[in-house]
Amino acid sequence: MNAHARGMGLFGGVLLLVLSALPLRGQGTEPRWLAWVGCWQPVGAEADAGLLCFRPSGAGVEMFNVSNGQVSSTEQLVADGQGRSVSADACTGTESVEFAENGVRLFTHSRFVCAGEEREGSGVMAFIAPGQWIDVRSLQVEGEPVAWVQRYALATRDQLDQQDVTDP
């Protein structure tokens, strides 16, 4: 077995131990969401970018942005593949979320209308290392593809304190 395979096996074992030791906060929340719960710092973003946080809510999670100590946006995510109404930045539409069979990736699909212009997109959110995940999106705007990638790292206690956030 090579070092990479051993490392991934160790990571999987540690993640399983950590998740099994966590109390079940939000009893109705799909267990695969527990790895996402907490606040995440966008890597490489400007210092005032804030945090992206997840907390249990119903069968899914509430995803919210915190910047300058204030919640700037919030969205309910339920990984059941059903389209839900979403509105942001003068755009309205639907978005669906579903887990990959192995539970370590989330797939998103969206359709929006912004100022009369239709936009359609898809994406994947996936853990890439302990305490790190990546969000990759592809969007069609006026028939032209637009790609977006953001890596996130688990927020430190200092970052949470700077934003006046209690860890979800």
Side-chain angles (χ1 to χ4, degrees):
M1 180 183 301
N2 67 32
H4 177 72
R6 280 193 306 272
M8 290 307 292
L10 178 61
F11 167 66
V14 168
L15 182 61
L16 181 61
L17 284 173
V18 168
L19 290 178
S20 64
L22 288 174
L24 286 179
R25 302 180 280 176
Q27 294 291 326
T29 300
E30 156 71 60
R32 293 178 288 184
W33 280 115
L34 293 178
W36 301 89
V37 171
C39 291
W40 304 85
Q41 174 71 40
V43 175
E46 294 181 21
D48 63 349
L51 301 174
L52 179 63
C53 302
F54 296 82
R55 64 178 157 219
S57 178
V61 292
E62 178 186 15
M63 180 177 73
F64 59 100
N65 289 302
V66 179
S67 183
N68 298 318
Q70 301 291 317
V71 174
S72 58
S73 66
T74 184
E75 182 178 347
Q76 178 75 21
L77 299 178
V78 178
D80 60 4
Q82 300 298 311
R84 288 186 169 62
S85 295
V86 177
S87 62
D89 300 326
C91 299
T92 58
T94 61
E95 183 172 58
S96 65
V97 180
E98 59 189 321
F99 278 105
E101 281 189 37
N102 65 8
V104 297
R105 289 182 307 278
L106 286 161
F107 299 108
T108 63
H109 304 280
S110 59
R111 287 185 174 210
F112 290 94
V113 176
C114 304
E117 177 185 310
E118 291 188 22
R119 298 179 182 183
E120 186 171 345
S122 61
V124 62
M125 298 163 62
F127 280 94
I128 56 172
Q132 293 187 23
W133 60 277
I134 193 166
D135 190 357
V136 180
R137 306 284 174 128
S138 173
L139 186 66
Q140 290 285 331
V141 178
E142 294 181 353
E144 296 294 320
V146 177
W148 178 84
V149 177
Q150 179 63 61
R151 186 168 52 115
Y152 292 89
L154 192 59
T156 65
R157 171 58 43 206
D158 286 343
Q159 291 167 327
L160 292 170
D161 290 345
Q162 288 172 1
Q163 293 294 339
D164 196 26
V165 174
T166 303
D167 198 6

